[in-house]
Amino acid sequence: MVVIGGGVVGCSIAYQLARRGVRDVVVVERETVGSGTTSKAAGGVRAQFSTETEIRFSLESLRVLDTFRDEFGVDPGFRRIGYLFLVQDPADLRAFETRIALQRRLGADVRVITPKEAQAIVPALYVDDLIAAVWGPGDGVAGPAEVTAGFAGRARDLGVRILEEVEMTGIERGAGRVQGVLTSAGPIATPVVVNAAGPAAARVGRLAGLVLPVYPRRRHIFFTEPFPDVPGPVPITTDRASGFYFRKELEQLLLSPGDVEDVGEDLTAPVDWRRVEDVVTKAVHRLPLVERARIAGGWAGLRPLTPDDHAILGWAPGLVGFFLAVGWGGHGFQHAPTTGRLVAEWIVDGRPSMDLALFDPGRFGDGRVPLPGEAGARAPDAE
Ligand SMILES: Cc1cc2nc3c(=O)[nH]c(=O)nc-3n(C[C@H](O)[C@H](O)[C@H](O)COP(=O)(O)OP(=O)(O)OC[C@H]3O[C@@H](n4cnc5c(N)ncnc54)[C@H](O)[C@@H]3O)c2cc1C
């Protein structure tokens, strides 16, 4: 069995397959484990999603992170610092309230609080233009590198071969079935291939003759020099009106303008330093103290978006043996632990133990493939 991509999703799947007794798992990674878009993630994990399926994914991931060190021998750096959404628009608040009812029914602690209560959590916030905030104290943050290394390490212990600096270059197919993959290190015969190629998922799909609506879109995160004026811990705080979000990492502030941009790349994205002005303008409005901070650096990554912001998970229509675990947008890190378990169940047992219709690969139909945002209502874009 071959998994394309050694990001957090591919490594989680490989680990779970091996854990369920699959003995011949090979991960093909064109660079190194975790070096793809996983290395750009802010590390956020929140139960605050809009669908039952995604809320269940997050709640399971939060549980896995709680005991990660025991299972994987790696400290994932998990801290329940919470997620805070700052709301200005009454219609937005009503949409939050509908989602909160579902989240609470499923066991997540999420509440609407006043602007003043939000300011009690993050005293540096400017709150005079807010009508409310939404607070999820059980949400948190963990280290994408650490979690990916944990999955990869245990996968190797269980016999998974992870081939780094090996690129998948083609698919061998016959009679409508996968027969194997071609790689820069030679062919590998296999009846099952899992596409976990992150932002490059559509490119890998094309190698198999499939059109996948996965669109890599760039997002930046900048960081300040050590800035004790905003003491930690600070929750992942999103300004709904501007898309700006921030949190603290050690003594520094991480600041994202919440940008979404097609830069014509699907493997890596260059930093556009003109975005600094954008992030600073948004930050100074919400956190006036930031005027005194200095930006020390930043990075950009590609979020693999889909038309409805839900992942694409399941067997690919039209090619037997080709499994899709793609389109994770800004939440692939947090959903990877649950994804791995369910994909392994699906492949080994023939079906997953959770209803995954939300992620049905066939849901966009066979006609023109829609662009991001064209299908369905979108939930908060928080990472
Ligand atoms: C700025 C930013 C902030 C984010 N913040 C968060 C967050 O707070 N929480 C969260 O849950 N998510 C967040 N995300 C999203 C998250 O990073 C992704 O959804 C997740 O990392 C996807 O993991 P992956 O394993 O699918 O992709 P990747 O990590 O990109 O892994 C895919 C791998 O496939 C390899 N590959 C591609 N093509 C080939 C080929 N032909 N042959 C061999 N190998 C190949 C690549 O080298 C890559 O390593 C953020 C993303 C960005 C950009």
Side-chain angles (χ1 to χ4, degrees), residues 4-10 28-32 34-45 83 166-169 196-200 203-204 207 217 219-221 236 245 267 299-304 325 328-335 383:
I4 309 299
V8 69
V9 173
V28 177
E29 166 52 53
R30 59 183 289 283
E31 291 198 338
T32 52
S35 65
T37 209
T38 296
S39 66
K40 313 295 182 186
V45 190
Y83 259 69
V166 173
E167 184 167 356
M168 177 261 200
T169 53
R203 179 200 295 246
V204 166
L207 293 174
R217 294 293 183 262
R219 172 157 292 181
H220 289 81
I221 296 181
I236 297 193
Y245 73 87
L267 293 171
W299 67 85
L302 295 166
R303 300 183 314 145
W328 296 101
H331 47 267
F333 165 63
Q334 62 200 285
H335 283 174
E383 300 94 2

Side-chain angles (χ1 to χ4, degrees), residues 153-327:
R154 277 288 177 269
R156 286 191 179 104
D157 293 346
L158 294 171
V160 172
R161 282 193 301 143
I162 302 182
L163 308 180
E164 294 179 287
E165 297 182 2
V166 173
E167 184 167 356
M168 177 261 200
T169 53
I171 283 269
E172 290 188 305
R173 43 186 296 172
R177 301 180 154 271
V178 168
Q179 312 274 1
V181 294
L182 303 174
T183 79
S184 54
I188 307 172
T190 176
V192 174
V193 172
V194 179
N195 179 353
R203 179 200 295 246
V204 166
R206 279 195 297 279
L207 293 174
L210 303 171
V211 177
L212 304 179
V214 177
Y215 302 97
R217 294 293 183 262
R218 180 172 66 181
R219 172 157 292 181
H220 289 81
I221 296 181
F222 296 99
F223 54 91
T224 65
E225 287 181 349
F227 192 60
D229 304 33
V230 177
V234 172
I236 297 193
T237 306
T238 303
D239 190 347
R240 290 284 292 151
S242 70
F244 162 69
Y245 73 87
F246 67 96
R247 73 168 173 87
K248 248 196 135 168
E249 176 73 31
L250 304 175
E251 281 308 303
Q252 294 158 307
L253 274 179
L254 300 187
L255 311 166
S256 174
D259 48 330
V260 182
E261 194 180 357
D262 180 3
V263 288
E265 309 264 354
D266 65 0
L267 293 171
T268 54
V271 173
D272 178 357
W273 293 105
R274 289 170 305 182
R275 283 281 177 190
V276 171
E277 195 183 325
D278 181 23
V279 80
V280 168
T281 305
K282 290 173 177 174
V284 167
H285 172 73
R286 194 48 68 201
L287 278 175
L289 282 180
V290 164
E291 210 157 35
R292 303 211 291 262
R294 285 168 60 96
I295 299 290
W299 67 85
L302 295 166
R303 300 183 314 145
L305 303 186
T306 64
D308 58 5
D309 208 25
H310 302 304
I312 299 173
L313 190 62
W315 294 107
L319 180 56
V320 176
F322 199 69
F323 196 97
L324 306 173
V326 301

